[in-house]
Amino acid sequence: MSGRAQLMWDEAVTGYDFGPDHPMDPVRLALTRSLVSAFGLDQEMDVVSAKPAGESTLRLVHREDYVAAVKAASADPAGADGAYGLGTVDDPAFAGMHEVSALIAGQSVGAAEAVWRGDVLHAVNFAGGLHHAMPGGASGFCIYNDASLAIARLLELGAERVAYVDVDVHHGDGVQAAFWEDPRVLTISLHEHPRTLFPQTGWPEETGAAAGEGAAVNVALPAGTGDAGWLRAFHAVVPEVLAEFRPQVLVTQHGADTHFEDPLAHLAVSLDAQRAVQVALHELAHEHAEGRWVALGGGGYAVVDVVPRSWTHLVAVAAGREIAPEAVIPEGWRQEVFARTRMLAPVRMTDGRWPVGWVGWEAGYDPADRLDQAVLAARRAVFPLRGLLP
């Protein structure tokens, strides 16, 4: 197995563009790619473009009639009327939508294949992580669910236990739905509570069904949760469940929209805490999955100040070339940001919160604390189903 990491990239993924007034501005992908280059990380990894996901691959997760509807809306965007979630405010139809969505899915599937074959230990597709797309419909800015497709491909290749950890501010509902009854896939999602945020799912009581009972884990965090609470919740749930499950591969989704500057949600997490979770997941991949790690992007709508820095840290962690939080961002990149967006770029790779402090669960909990209540609810719902003490 190669020790090198792989970065999945094709310039054409920036064509995933819902229009000038949509929050998911593809400039976030272009700026991330150029910041990765500014730090020389692309010299430390294999930069690869995979082919778009074909019909048979898409149908590992998506219904045939839905794929046909995406193709039709892609060819005639004006004809999309909201059926299958296409042509809505969240998911406007655009020309070429099928092709670019299949390309992004192909990068995640290609990443999974490379890691499973042993070509590389880690692979990153920060254009991926489109975790809301359902088997039969678009949802939440997501057309094809590349995360689910990568996992389905791993199962097709013979994986018996795949763990998926989603730290986007929104619940990873599409991935959970795709594997709701499948005991081979453990889905763990930490997200803002469904009472206050789309998609209004991800309650702790959602634990899977049939043979998959106990294979869905949901930690629903109160709005306003900051660094210490977010890290406490992560470490109170994720390592213990992963240790019991013993995954052969770890697939992770790193939506940057938990950040306090994100305009679409209500958590108060810093870039430094996001980096701490990236490091923790990298370590957990080595501890439980022999290092096999597929890392994806996701949400994130502070497209200049947050997303490029967060995902460049992710790429750096995967490449084994961590960037110090206090590192100064290269001037050339900052000039590019201003030229593209007329916005001032950040100066350093930190929000000034490093090192981030948090108190471990083993130190005890406060039953009156809302964050601890959220953790307790998740542990009580799923831990006994997995033979663990809540």
Side-chain angles (χ1 to χ4, degrees):
M1 179 180 288
S2 166
R4 277 176 77 84
Q6 187 162 290
L7 176 64
M8 310 304 297
W9 178 254
D10 186 314
E11 194 72 35
V13 299
T14 60
Y16 192 82
D17 187 352
F18 291 113
D21 300 321
H22 196 282
M24 197 177 219
D25 188 336
V27 77
R28 67 199 196 119
L29 302 178
L31 290 177
T32 301
R33 178 66 183 88
S34 59
L35 187 56
V36 164
S37 183
F39 276 105
L41 297 173
D42 49 359
Q43 305 303 310
E44 307 283 342
M45 327 172 67
D46 302 322
V47 181
V48 174
S49 173
K51 66 183 190 298
E55 186 92 16
S56 61
T57 298
L58 293 172
R59 286 175 57 188
L60 291 173
V61 168
H62 293 292
R63 294 201 321 247
E64 185 176 5
D65 58 320
Y66 173 58
V67 175
V70 174
K71 288 180 174 178
S74 184
D76 177 21
D81 59 2
Y84 296 97
L86 301 167
T88 62
V89 172
D90 273 5
D91 297 282
F94 61 92
M97 179 171 67
H98 163 74
E99 288 77 10
V100 71
S101 300
L103 179 64
I104 290 171
Q107 305 313 305
S108 293
V109 170
E113 290 171 344
V115 168
W116 185 252
R117 283 193 307 258
D119 298 348
V120 293
L121 208 49
H122 312 324
V124 182
N125 176 27
F126 59 74
L130 303 177
H131 59 170
H132 295 307
M134 291 291 172
S139 176
F141 315 164
C142 305
I143 307 301
Y144 293 139
N145 196 317
D146 63 285
S148 294
L149 289 164
I151 294 167
R153 181 69 177 127
L154 288 166
L155 298 176
E156 190 178 49
L157 292 172
E160 295 171 353
R161 293 180 308 282
V162 181
Y164 172 75
V165 180
D166 188 320
V167 295
D168 193 288
V169 78
H170 302 92
H171 177 229
D173 58 338
V175 185
Q176 176 178 286
F179 303 104
W180 185 242
E181 297 185 353
D182 195 333
R184 299 172 298 171
V185 181
L186 174 72
T187 62
I188 308 175
S189 180
L190 276 84
H191 47 267
E192 185 179 327
H193 201 284
R195 271 197 210 95
T196 53
L197 196 65
F198 175 90
Q200 280 80 50
T201 57
W203 298 78
E205 297 77 20
E206 295 171 32
T207 57
E213 176 72 22
V217 185
N218 287 292
V219 188
L221 302 169
T225 297
D227 290 359
W230 194 61
L231 288 168
R232 174 172 168 80
F234 176 91
H235 287 284
V237 174
V238 178
E240 210 168 331
V241 180
L242 286 182
E244 184 276 330
F245 184 69
R246 298 180 300 112
Q248 294 162 298
V249 190
L250 182 61
V251 180
T252 58
Q253 197 270 19
H254 298 266
D257 43 10
T258 50
H259 195 273
F260 54 77
E261 283 186 20
D262 197 89
L264 299 191
H266 319 99
L267 295 191
V269 173
S270 73
L271 185 75
D272 300 296
Q274 291 176 347
R275 180 184 183 278
V277 159
Q278 294 163 4
V279 170
L281 285 166
H282 175 229
E283 290 171 351
L284 287 165
H286 281 279
E287 194 172 335
H288 300 299
E290 298 181 358
R292 286 186 285 264
W293 183 30
V294 178
L296 310 173
Y301 309 100
V303 298
V304 167
D305 205 41
V306 178
V307 175
R309 291 191 296 163
S310 186
W311 291 348
T312 298
H313 273 306
L314 176 65
V315 172
V317 170
R321 298 287 185 273
E322 290 181 21
I323 297 170
E326 64 274 11
V328 173
I329 291 171
E331 179 62 26
W333 184 81
R334 300 182 68 242
Q335 290 174 359
E336 180 187 348
V337 166
F338 188 76
R340 279 177 175 263
T341 68
R342 288 295 179 262
M343 293 171 68
L344 294 176
V347 177
R348 294 182 186 273
M349 292 293 285
T350 180
D351 285 330
R353 306 264 182 98
W354 190 267
V356 184
W358 53 279
V359 178
W361 193 250
E362 62 282 355
Y365 59 86
D366 177 1
D369 180 82
R370 288 173 67 228
L371 185 280
D372 284 5
Q373 288 169 1
V375 172
L376 269 175
R379 290 176 62 105
R380 285 173 174 163
V382 84
F383 275 40
L385 297 173
R386 305 210 61 87
L388 300 170
L389 293 173

